[in-house]
Amino acid sequence: MPDTLITTPSSAFLGKLRTIVGDKGMVEDAQARAFHETDWRGFTMGRAAAVVKPASVEEVSAVVALCSEHGVKIVPQGGVTGLVGAGVPVRDGDEIVLSLARLNRILDVNPTAYTMTVEAGVVLQTIQETAAAHDRYFPISLGAQGSCMIGGNLSTNAGGATVLHYGNTRAMVLGLEVVLPDGRVWDGLRALKKDNTGYDLKDLFVGAEGTLGVITKAVLKIFPRPKDVATAWLAVPAPKAALELLAGARIAADDNVTSCELVHELGLEGIIKHIPGTQRPLQGRHTWQILMEWSSTRPIPEDGESGMRARMEAYLAGCMEKGLVDDAVIAQNEAQARAFWHIRESHAEAGRHSDPACSFDISVAVEKIPAFIEACNAAAETAVPGIRPRPMGHMGDGNLHYNFSAPVGVKARAEFAPTVKVLDRIVHDMVARFDGSISAEHGIGSIKLLELEHYRSQTELDVMRAIKKALDPKGTMNPGKVIRVDPSEAVREGTLMR
Amino acid sequence: MPDTLITTPSSAFLGKLRTIVGDKGMVEDAQARAFHETDWRGFTMGRAAAVVKPASVEEVSAVVALCSEHGVKIVPQGGVTGLVGAGVPVRDGDEIVLSLARLNRILDVNPTAYTMTVEAGVVLQTIQETAAAHDRYFPISLGAQGSCMIGGNLSTNAGGATVLHYGNTRAMVLGLEVVLPDGRVWDGLRALKKDNTGYDLKDLFVGAEGTLGVITKAVLKIFPRPKDVATAWLAVPAPKAALELLAGARIAADDNVTSCELVHELGLEGIIKHIPGTQRPLQGRHTWQILMEWSSTRPIPEDGESGMRARMEAYLAGCMEKGLVDDAVIAQNEAQARAFWHIRESHAEAGRHSDPACSFDISVAVEKIPAFIEACNAAAETAVPGIRPRPMGHMGDGNLHYNFSAPVGVKARAEFAPTVKVLDRIVHDMVARFDGSISAEHGIGSIKLLELEHYRSQTELDVMRAIKKALDPKGTMNPGKVIRVDPSEAVREGTLMR
C-alpha cells in the first residue's frame, strides 16, 4: 500500500502558520520537536512538517482552517502519554502536530454547581488539585496524571481506577468546545445536566481521538470530596470469589465501592523485586489479590462505629467465613493506603525491569471475567508453552490489562516479538468469542486500527466511516487513527511494539 | 412551503409489508389506528399510510429495508406518550408507523453483573418490577411508566425525578441493537462497562428520537435496590436557599440525594383543589416548597441511629437554624412518602382541570436557577400583565417545568393561545440568555423543531445535518422531527398546542 498522496507543505504554508501562532507558537528546536513526534513508549513513527502551539481557541481555529484549505493533515496533541499512537505523527512530513499545551487555563470553578470549566491543555493533576482546593473531587486518575492533559483524556475517554464508581472521562463532561475540521468553532460549552436538543454531539467528540475535531474547552463535573476512605488488600481463592465479594460490597458500602483492582501474584512479585521500598501487604503468596477501596463523602463519624473502615471490617469478616476471602488487611492510616496504591500503580514501571512481556487492554462483561481468564490462559498456554499469564486491572469494570511474561529463559525482546503476534490473535479472538472489547480504555489510535477493522462488523465500520466522512470530508483530522475511510489507505501500525 | 414530495405508497408496497409482518402485524381497525396516529395530548397531525407491528428484529429490518427501497417514510413508535410530537405521523399518507410494541421480551436479567437486556417494546414499569424482583433497581421513573416503552425512553433520553443521582436514560445504556435506515442491523448489544473502540455510536442513537434508526434492543444497567429511604417535604424562603440546601445535602447524605424537586404554591394549590385525597404536607402557604429524597442501599441500621431518616433530621435541623428551611416534615412511613410523591406527580393531571396554562421544559446550569426564575418571571409579568408563573420541577438538575397559568379571568384556551406564543419567545429568549436548553428532557420532536433552528448556531445545525445525511441519506427515518436536512422542507409544528 504505497503512500502516494503525501506531499510536504510548502514554505509559503509554513509562513502562514507562523503568522497565526507567532514565533512563540512554532516549535523549532530539534529536541523539543522530537518530544512531540515520539510516542510515550519511545517509538517514532513519522515526522511532522511543523509543530505548532497556538495560544488561544482563535489561533487553533485559524490553524485548522489554514490546514483544511491547503489539505494539510493535523495531529491534535495533549501530553503525549497515550498508549496507542493516536497523538503522534504516523506519516512523513505532510502532517503538522497541533499541541494544545498553551491552552492551559482553568476558566471557572463552581463548587455549588459542582462544575469546573477548563481549557484542553490543563494537566489532569492540576484539575484534581484545583477541585481539592475547593473541597471537591475530580475522580479521573491515571499513572500519567502529572503530564497528561484533559483534552487528551477527553479524546481517549480515559479510564483508570475509579471508573467503577464514577464512570470514565465521558461521564465527567457537561459541555465541550470543539474546533471542527474546517476550522469553525462548535460552541457546545454548556453547563447543563439535562439537554435533549438534538443529537448528542459531545459524546461523538469524546473518545474520537482527535479524528473529528479538536477539543479546546470542556465543562467538567466535579464531586464531593471523599472524607472517610477505607482501603483493603485481600487474597481471594479465585476470580469468581472476587466477583461475589464485589457484588456484596456494593450493598454493604452503600454503593460506595470506588475501586476494585485485581492484582496477580506474578505481577506483585515483579514489583516487590524491582520497585524500591515496596513490600507485600499480606503474608505468603496468593495467585489472586484484590485492592479494594470504599469512599464516603461524610466525615468519619466520631464514635467510629459506622465509619467506612468499621463497615468494611464487618463485611470482610463475613466474606472470610463464607470462603470468599482467604486473607485481608485494611490500611490503618493514609500512609498504608498510599503504599497499597503505590504497588498497584507500579505495574508499568516494574514491567520495564522485568523479562520481556506484552499487555492487552481488554474488557468483557463483568460476570464473564472468571470464565474469560480460564479460557484465555488455557489457549495461550497451549499455543505458547511456558508463557506466563498475569491478568490484572480494573476487575469491577470488566477491564483487564492482560499481561504475559515471556517463558522463563527468553531474555531478549526481539526473541519474544513473534510470540506477541501469536498472542495478539489468541487474546483478541477470545475477546471476540466473549463479546468483549479489544480496547477497554486506551483507545484504537494507529496501533489497533487494523485489529478494529478485523473484529468489528462491516455495518459498524460503515457507520463510523460515514460519520468520519460527514464531519471531516477532506480527511485532514488525524488520519491513520481509529478508522480509515478508504480501506486501501496505508497504515503504520507495525512499528509500535508493546 | 408546499409538501410537493408526498406520494402515497402503492397497494403493491402495502402487500409487501403484509408479507413481512403477517396479518397480525397489520393494524387495520380504525380505532386502533387512531391510537397510533394521535399524540398523547390528543392532537392528530398526520395520517399514516399503514401501521405495522413487527414481531421480531428480523421483521423490523425487513420493513425498514422495504421502505428504504421504495422511499417510504417511517415513524418509529413506542408507547405514544411523548410530549413533543416525535412518535406520531406529521404528514399525510406517505409515512408508515412502525410500532415496537410486539418486541416486548425481557431477554436477560443478571443481578451479579447489574445488567438487564430488553427488547424496545418492554413497558418501563415492567423493567422496574423485574429489577425489583431480583433485589435490584431501575431508576428511570416517569408519570407515563405504566405505558411508555423503553425504546421510546431511549430515543428521547427520558429524564424524570431520579436524574439527579442516577443520570437520565442515556446513563443506563451499556449496549444497543439498532436497525439502520437502510434496514441493516447494527449489533452494538455489548454489556461492557468500558469500550473505547471507535466512535460512541450508542450515544448517537440515544436521544435521536428515531431519526437515525430504530432501537430494537438494549443492555441496561440496573442498580442496588434502595433499602433505607428518607423523604421530606420542605418550605424554603427562596430558590437560592433551596440550592444551598441541596449542595450541603449531597455531603450529609453521602452523595445519596436521589431527588430534589421544586414545587410552587400555585401548582400545589391546584393539586389540592382538583386531585381527590391530596392534602398539604405543611401548614400554611409557602411560595417555594421542596420534595427531597435520600436513598441508601444499606438496610436501615437496627439501632436507627445512622439511618437515612435520622441523618436527614439532623441535617434539616441545622438548615433551619441557618434560615435555609422555614418548615419541614419527614415522612414517617412509606405511605406518607408515597403521598408526597403523589402530589409531585399530579401536576399534569391537575393542569387538565385548571385554568388555561402552558408549560416549558427548560434547563439552565443549576446555580443559575434563582437568577433565571427572577428574570423570567419579571419578563413574563411585564409582557403579560396578570400572568401567573409557577415554575417547578427537577431543580437539582437545573431542569424546570416552567408553567404559567393564564391571568385570572381568562377561561378559554383559545383566548390564551396568542399569549402562549408571546411567552414562547420570552421564555426561550431568556433560556438563550442564560446559556440554557429549550428542551431539558422531552426532546425536540416536531413541535420544537423550528425553535431549535432559531436558537442553535448555524455550525451546530450543520453538524447535526451532516450526521443525519450521513446515516439516513434517503431521509426516510422519522422526517420532520428534530432537524430538517433541507430548511425549505415543510414543517407541521403549529398544530400542536400546549
Side-chain angles (χ1 to χ4, degrees):
Chain A
M1 292 180 285
D3 241 357
T4 50
L5 290 174
I6 288 192
T7 50
T8 304
S10 66
S11 60
F13 169 85
L14 295 174
K16 286 180 185 167
L17 264 188
R18 185 182 302 271
T19 309
I20 295 168
V21 299
D23 288 344
K24 272 180 74 178
M26 298 293 286
V27 179
E28 291 168 305
D29 170 73
Q31 204 178 334
R33 280 185 59 145
F35 169 80
H36 292 280
E37 292 169 332
T38 309
D39 176 73
W40 180 79
R41 298 172 205 245
F43 296 96
T44 307
M45 287 178 289
R47 290 285 167 202
V51 176
V52 296
K53 285 190 176 177
S56 66
V57 175
E58 292 69 29
E59 288 186 14
V60 174
S61 166
V63 167
V64 173
L66 180 73
C67 288
S68 174
E69 188 193 328
H70 290 263
V72 173
K73 296 166 180 67
I74 297 169
V75 182
Q77 190 178 79
V80 209
T81 64
L83 296 170
V84 292
V88 288
V90 291
R91 307 158 61 99
D92 284 322
D94 73 334
E95 292 178 315
I96 67 157
V97 167
L98 192 166
S99 166
L100 280 300
R102 287 173 76 203
L103 276 75
N104 60 357
R105 291 175 305 161
I106 292 188
L107 302 173
D108 181 58
V109 187
N110 191 327
T112 310
Y114 288 88
T115 60
M116 193 188 304
T117 305
V118 299
E119 289 187 324
V122 178
V123 168
L124 175 57
Q125 194 169 318
T126 307
I127 295 177
Q128 297 165 347
E129 289 166 358
T130 305
H134 289 80
D135 195 30
R136 294 293 181 263
Y137 178 63
F138 186 69
I140 300 296
S141 80
L142 310 168
Q145 64 199 29
S147 53
C148 67
M149 293 168 193
I150 189 67
N153 301 143
L154 290 161
S155 292
T156 56
N157 185 27
T162 62
V163 173
L164 177 63
H165 185 68
Y166 293 97
N168 47 19
T169 307
R170 182 183 303 289
M172 309 297 140
V173 182
L174 289 175
L176 289 182
E177 180 189 78
V178 176
V179 175
L180 300 174
D182 63 5
R184 287 191 297 171
V185 179
W186 172 55
D187 178 2
L189 206 61
R190 300 189 269 267
L192 302 175
K193 302 216 167 175
K194 288 165 90 171
D195 180 22
N196 278 352
T197 51
Y199 306 145
D200 178 16
L201 303 184
K202 71 179 160 57
D203 278 307
L204 199 53
F205 295 111
V206 172
E209 303 181 33
T211 63
L212 300 179
V214 184
I215 295 173
T216 45
K217 291 189 193 123
V219 183
L220 303 170
K221 288 186 206 169
I222 53 180
F223 295 80
R225 193 167 62 80
K227 289 180 174 161
D228 178 7
V229 178
T231 312
W233 195 282
L234 318 169
V236 293
K240 193 172 182 322
L243 220 60
E244 275 181 63
L245 168 88
L246 173 61
R250 282 189 68 177
I251 292 165
D254 233 355
D255 216 4
N256 279 321
V257 180
T258 42
S259 292
C260 186
E261 300 283 306
L262 185 70
V263 174
H264 190 280
E265 170 59 29
L266 277 180
L268 179 61
E269 191 179 64
I271 289 162
I272 303 302
K273 189 168 162 192
H274 295 295
I275 307 295
T278 55
Q279 53 188 29
R280 288 181 174 276
L282 298 171
Q283 296 267 315
R285 288 160 178 272
H286 308 270
T287 307
W288 303 108
Q289 303 181 37
I290 296 280
L291 171 56
M292 184 162 69
E293 193 158 276
W294 299 4
S295 307
S296 164
T297 56
R298 285 175 73 207
I300 298 172
E302 279 175 24
D303 59 7
E305 269 321 297
S306 54
M308 276 295 175
R309 210 185 295 164
R311 283 159 67 175
M312 186 187 259
E313 224 168 85
Y315 176 66
L316 291 179
C319 289
M320 289 182 86
E321 270 173 37
K322 284 188 226 158
L324 294 178
V325 171
D326 291 333
D327 198 2
V329 54
I330 298 180
Q332 290 308 303
N333 50 48
E334 219 185 303
Q336 204 178 353
R338 267 204 302 266
F340 291 174
W341 276 108
H342 181 54
I343 295 173
R344 165 63 186 89
E345 284 159 0
S346 295
H347 277 84
E349 182 60 25
R352 296 165 57 152
H353 303 283
S354 69
D355 294 338
C358 63
S359 176
F360 298 87
D361 167 40
I362 63 96
S363 69
V364 296
V366 180
E367 81 278 11
K368 294 181 183 170
I369 288 261
F372 181 83
I373 289 178
E374 198 175 320
C376 195
N377 280 3
E381 284 159 355
T382 303
V384 184
I387 190 75
R388 291 173 292 168
R390 43 181 175 88
M392 49 79 63
H394 318 298
M395 196 202 69
D397 309 316
N399 175 196
L400 295 177
H401 296 306
Y402 220 102
N403 302 333
F404 294 92
S405 289
V408 174
V410 177
K411 292 290 175 202
R413 284 176 196 273
E415 188 188 344
F416 190 47
T419 306
V420 175
K421 282 276 174 205
V422 174
L423 290 171
D424 257 353
R425 198 50 66 233
I426 287 172
V427 174
H428 288 169
D429 276 357
M430 195 62 75
V431 165
R433 204 200 297 171
F434 276 75
D435 299 318
S437 168
I438 61 164
S439 178
E441 58 175 12
H442 297 164
I444 297 299
S446 50
I447 74 167
K448 288 188 180 173
L449 185 143
L450 293 181
E451 288 295 276
L452 186 74
E453 290 186 3
H454 182 79
Y455 287 105
R456 283 294 185 244
S457 69
Q458 197 54 51
T459 304
E460 182 157 334
L461 295 171
D462 283 352
V463 174
M464 284 202 236
R465 284 187 181 119
I467 291 168
K468 170 72 175 170
K469 272 194 276 193
L471 298 193
D472 181 22
K474 292 188 176 176
T476 48
M477 289 307 301
N478 216 7
K481 318 289 168 65
V482 184
I483 186 87
R484 295 183 293 181
V485 169
D486 171 3
S488 72
E489 216 175 276
V491 175
R492 295 203 183 170
E493 52 96 51
T495 41
L496 258 194
M497 238 285 287
R498 267 171 225 92
Chain B
M1 290 178 286
D3 239 0
T4 50
L5 289 173
I6 288 192
T7 50
T8 305
S10 66
S11 60
F13 170 85
L14 296 174
K16 285 179 186 166
L17 264 189
R18 185 182 301 273
T19 308
I20 295 168
V21 299
D23 289 343
K24 273 180 73 177
M26 298 294 283
V27 178
E28 289 166 305
D29 171 73
Q31 205 179 335
R33 279 185 60 148
F35 169 80
H36 293 280
E37 292 169 332
T38 309
D39 175 74
W40 180 79
R41 298 173 205 242
F43 295 96
T44 307
M45 288 179 287
R47 291 284 167 201
V51 176
V52 296
K53 285 189 175 179
S56 67
V57 175
E58 292 70 26
E59 288 186 13
V60 175
S61 165
V63 167
V64 174
L66 180 73
C67 288
S68 174
E69 189 191 326
H70 291 262
V72 173
K73 296 165 179 67
I74 298 170
V75 182
Q77 189 179 78
V80 209
T81 64
L83 297 171
V84 292
V88 288
V90 289
R91 305 158 64 98
D92 283 322
D94 74 334
E95 294 179 314
I96 68 158
V97 167
L98 193 165
S99 165
L100 279 302
R102 287 172 75 201
L103 276 76
N104 60 357
R105 290 175 305 160
I106 291 189
L107 302 171
D108 182 58
V109 186
N110 192 327
T112 310
Y114 287 87
T115 61
M116 193 188 304
T117 306
V118 299
E119 289 186 325
V122 178
V123 168
L124 175 56
Q125 194 169 319
T126 307
I127 294 176
Q128 295 166 347
E129 290 167 358
T130 305
H134 290 80
D135 196 30
R136 294 293 180 264
Y137 178 64
F138 186 69
I140 300 297
S141 80
L142 311 169
Q145 64 200 27
S147 53
C148 67
M149 293 169 191
I150 189 67
N153 301 142
L154 290 160
S155 292
T156 55
N157 185 29
T162 63
V163 172
L164 178 63
H165 186 69
Y166 292 97
N168 47 18
T169 307
R170 182 183 304 290
M172 309 296 139
V173 181
L174 290 174
L176 288 183
E177 179 188 78
V178 177
V179 175
L180 300 173
D182 62 4
R184 287 190 298 172
V185 179
W186 172 55
D187 179 3
L189 207 61
R190 301 190 268 268
L192 303 174
K193 302 215 167 179
K194 287 166 89 171
D195 180 22
N196 278 352
T197 50
Y199 305 144
D200 179 16
L201 303 185
K202 71 180 161 56
D203 278 308
L204 199 51
F205 294 111
V206 173
E209 304 183 33
T211 63
L212 300 178
V214 184
I215 295 173
T216 45
K217 290 187 193 126
V219 184
L220 302 170
K221 289 187 205 168
I222 52 180
F223 294 80
R225 192 166 63 79
K227 290 182 174 158
D228 179 5
V229 179
T231 312
W233 195 282
L234 317 169
V236 294
K240 193 172 183 322
L243 220 61
E244 274 182 63
L245 168 90
L246 173 61
R250 283 188 68 176
I251 293 165
D254 232 354
D255 216 2
N256 279 321
V257 180
T258 43
S259 293
C260 186
E261 300 283 305
L262 185 69
V263 175
H264 191 281
E265 169 60 28
L266 278 181
L268 179 61
E269 191 179 63
I271 290 162
I272 302 303
K273 189 168 161 191
H274 295 294
I275 308 295
T278 54
Q279 53 187 29
R280 288 182 174 275
L282 298 171
Q283 297 266 314
R285 288 161 178 271
H286 308 270
T287 307
W288 303 108
Q289 304 182 38
I290 295 279
L291 171 56
M292 184 162 69
E293 192 158 275
W294 297 6
S295 308
S296 164
T297 57
R298 283 174 75 208
I300 299 172
E302 280 174 26
D303 60 7
E305 268 322 295
S306 54
M308 276 296 173
R309 211 183 297 165
R311 284 159 66 175
M312 187 187 260
E313 225 167 84
Y315 176 65
L316 291 179
C319 289
M320 290 182 84
E321 269 173 38
K322 281 188 227 159
L324 294 178
V325 171
D326 291 333
D327 197 3
V329 53
I330 299 181
Q332 290 308 304
N333 51 47
E334 221 184 303
Q336 204 179 353
R338 266 203 302 267
F340 291 174
W341 277 108
H342 182 53
I343 295 173
R344 165 64 187 88
E345 284 158 1
S346 294
H347 276 84
E349 182 59 23
R352 296 165 59 152
H353 303 284
S354 70
D355 293 338
C358 65
S359 176
F360 297 87
D361 167 42
I362 64 96
S363 70
V364 297
V366 180
E367 81 278 12
K368 294 182 183 171
I369 288 262
F372 180 82
I373 289 178
E374 199 174 321
C376 195
N377 282 4
E381 284 159 355
T382 304
V384 185
I387 191 76
R388 291 173 291 167
R390 43 182 174 87
M392 48 82 59
H394 317 298
M395 195 201 68
D397 309 316
N399 174 194
L400 295 178
H401 297 306
Y402 220 102
N403 303 332
F404 294 93
S405 291
V408 173
V410 177
K411 292 291 175 200
R413 285 177 195 273
E415 190 189 343
F416 190 47
T419 305
V420 174
K421 284 276 174 204
V422 174
L423 291 171
D424 257 354
R425 197 49 68 231
I426 287 172
V427 175
H428 289 169
D429 276 358
M430 195 63 74
V431 165
R433 205 200 297 170
F434 277 76
D435 299 320
S437 168
I438 60 164
S439 178
E441 57 175 12
H442 297 163
I444 296 300
S446 50
I447 74 166
K448 289 189 182 173
L449 185 143
L450 294 181
E451 288 294 278
L452 187 74
E453 290 186 3
H454 181 79
Y455 286 105
R456 284 293 184 246
S457 69
Q458 197 55 49
T459 303
E460 181 157 334
L461 295 171
D462 283 352
V463 174
M464 284 202 235
R465 286 189 179 116
I467 290 169
K468 170 71 176 173
K469 273 194 274 192
L471 299 192
D472 181 21
K474 292 187 178 178
T476 48
M477 289 308 300
N478 216 9
K481 318 291 169 63
V482 183
I483 185 89
R484 294 183 294 181
V485 169
D486 172 3
S488 71
E489 216 176 275
V491 174
R492 295 201 184 173
E493 53 96 49
T495 42
L496 257 194
M497 238 283 289
R498 267 170 227 96

